[in-house]
C-alpha cells in the first residue's frame, strides 16, 4: 500500500498525539514542490509542480497574492494557506 506524505503525517499524529510540530512560514520563492504539496491545504503534487513551473518561467513571486497567477490557484485556496506563506527578502 502506497501512503502519501500527507497521509503518513496524519497517521503519525494519530499514533503520537503528543507530538508538536513548529509551523514556520513557507517561502514561496525557495520552497520545493514536495514542501509545497506537504504544507499547503488543497495543493497536491500537480499544483505544487505548477507553482514551481510558474516561478521558473516568470521569476520569483513578489507578493503572496501573486500565487493566484498560477493556473488552478484561486483566492479561496490562497486564503486557506495565507497564514503559512511568506516572501523572504534577499539578504
Amino acid at each position: 500500500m502506497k501512503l502519501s506524505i500527507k497521509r503518513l503525517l496524519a497517521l503519525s499524529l494519530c499514533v503520537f498525539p503528543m507530538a508538536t510540530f513548529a509551523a514556520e512560514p513557507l517561502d514561496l520563492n525557495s520552497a520545493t514542490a514536495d514542501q509545497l504539496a506537504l504544507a499547503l491545504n488543497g495543493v497536491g503534487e500537480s499544483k505544487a509542480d505548477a507553482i514551481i513551473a510558474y516561478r521558473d518561467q516568470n521569476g520569483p513571486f513578489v507578493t503572496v497574492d501573486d500565487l493566484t497567477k498560477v493556473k488552478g490557484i484561486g483566492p479561496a485556496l490562497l486564503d486557506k494557506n495565507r497564514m503559512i506563506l511568506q516572501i523572504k527578502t534577499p539578504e
Side-chain angles (χ1 to χ4, degrees):
M1 174 169 60
K2 183 178 176 184
L3 289 177
S4 71
I5 294 174
K6 287 183 182 180
R7 288 183 183 161
L8 188 58
L9 180 59
L11 179 61
S12 69
L13 290 175
C14 292
V15 174
F16 304 106
M18 299 305 289
T20 58
F21 296 94
E24 290 191 28
L26 186 65
D27 179 32
L28 280 174
N29 290 324
S30 64
T32 66
D34 288 338
Q35 290 170 327
L36 291 165
L38 179 62
L40 299 180
N41 185 11
V43 174
E45 291 177 27
S46 62
K47 283 185 185 173
D49 288 340
I51 293 168
I52 299 299
Y54 180 90
R55 186 175 73 196
D56 289 345
Q57 292 173 359
N58 298 287
F61 293 98
V62 177
T63 69
V64 170
D65 291 316
D66 287 345
L67 188 59
T68 60
K69 294 178 181 179
V70 177
K71 185 176 179 179
I73 309 285
L77 194 139
L78 175 61
D79 287 341
K80 282 195 274 187
N81 294 289
R82 185 179 296 279
M83 296 293 290
I84 62 168
L85 294 171
Q86 71 176 356
I87 303 295
K88 288 186 179 177
T89 55
E91 296 178 11

